[in-house]
Amino acid sequence: MSIGTRARAGVEKRRGNPMRRMLPGLGLLIAGAALTLHAAGGVAAQPWQAHRSPAGCAPASADAPNGKQWPFEPWQTIDPAAGYTASLETNCGTVTVALDAARAPRTVNSFVFLSDQQYFDHTRCHRLTTQGIFVLQCGDPSALGTGGPGYRFPDENLAGATYPAGTLAMANAGPGTNGSQFFLVYRDSQLPPNYTPFGRVVDGLGVLTGIAAAGVRDGSGDGAPTDDVVLNSVRVARG
């Protein structure tokens, strides 16, 4: 069954918008201007531009993310002892992830909350790395690497953390700056244990390797994927 929506505020206040979200390894960084906010407080998506779709990918949707914002981390509503499975439906195929609520309860709780709020729907995976580290980064409604839900929460599950192929982990701008951005590892990557791992791909790793095979749009090893990759929907089920 689907997880019910919980919109109550939590206990940690936001500590300001990060100007960038980054991962080390290449000496390259995705950076951008300050967030553009709607009057209602949402994050404005950048104007959509179509790019070619590789074999197996549907054309990327032009629908915009809802850009909702919250001043506090959501209350803890998941059961850390339960199993949760996330289905990330992209225009290139579906990636299924088993979430690790036992080791990363606050991270999984936030991910479930945001998915229930349809926060990830119609967001683009804005960053692909193909040299040194091998990840697809998603979860930013601005598609610039600067967006987030308006709250932050601490790191979890870092002791001895490794990032083999199939890892789902949080992107951040330093310790304790987790928000909505996450990355999926499509090939074993050597990263310092600074990024909360909170799930593993159980189906659809080939979707990620197919996206990676198309490369980075500007021909470098770090940037926007050659082909638009959109999260059409993200849903989480318990059990």
Side-chain angles (χ1 to χ4, degrees):
M1 61 184 289
S2 296
I3 310 302
T5 300
R6 309 285 202 301
R8 293 173 296 176
V11 297
E12 258 191 27
K13 291 187 177 180
R14 178 189 183 188
R15 292 187 289 174
N17 283 320
M19 290 300 295
R20 56 195 179 186
R21 299 272 172 172
M22 60 185 179
L23 289 170
L26 304 178
L28 294 172
L29 183 67
I30 300 299
L35 296 179
T36 302
L37 301 181
H38 292 302
V43 179
Q46 296 303 299
W48 179 80
Q49 292 181 317
H51 293 270
R52 68 177 181 86
S53 295
C57 290
S61 170
D63 293 339
N66 63 39
K68 293 179 180 180
Q69 296 279 285
W70 298 269
F72 304 103
E73 178 186 1
W75 285 111
Q76 192 79 9
T77 57
I78 66 158
D79 179 1
Y84 295 88
T85 302
S87 179
L88 285 65
E89 181 191 332
T90 81
N91 61 308
C92 296
T94 299
V95 179
T96 304
V97 181
L99 303 179
D100 193 347
R103 292 183 175 87
R106 290 176 71 165
T107 307
V108 171
N109 187 71
S110 175
F111 191 85
V112 168
F113 171 80
L114 293 174
S115 67
D116 284 349
Q117 292 290 321
Q118 300 179 13
Y119 180 85
F120 296 119
D121 294 8
H122 313 304
T123 60
R124 277 181 280 171
C125 294
H126 63 279
R127 184 183 184 194
L128 175 69
T129 62
T130 61
Q131 298 173 11
I133 57 174
F134 307 97
V135 308
L136 179 68
Q137 190 167 330
C138 310
D140 175 8
S142 76
L144 293 173
T146 60
Y151 62 82
R152 297 182 179 185
F153 58 92
D155 302 312
E156 298 180 294
N157 194 28
L158 295 185
T162 58
Y163 304 90
T167 300
L168 171 66
M170 293 300 295
N172 62 52
T177 61
N178 299 293
S180 62
Q181 293 190 45
F182 60 88
F183 61 91
L184 294 146
V185 183
Y186 63 87
R187 176 177 162 188
D188 294 355
S189 296
Q190 298 298 315
L191 284 163
N194 297 336
Y195 308 95
T196 297
F198 67 103
R200 59 182 177 82
V201 174
V202 294
D203 191 33
L205 187 61
V207 173
L208 301 176
T209 57
I211 292 167
V216 175
R217 188 169 300 162
D218 65 5
S220 73
D222 185 348
T226 294
D227 306 289
D228 283 314
V229 180
V230 173
L231 294 172
N232 293 326
S233 69
V234 176
R235 299 293 179 265
V236 179
R238 175 173 172 170

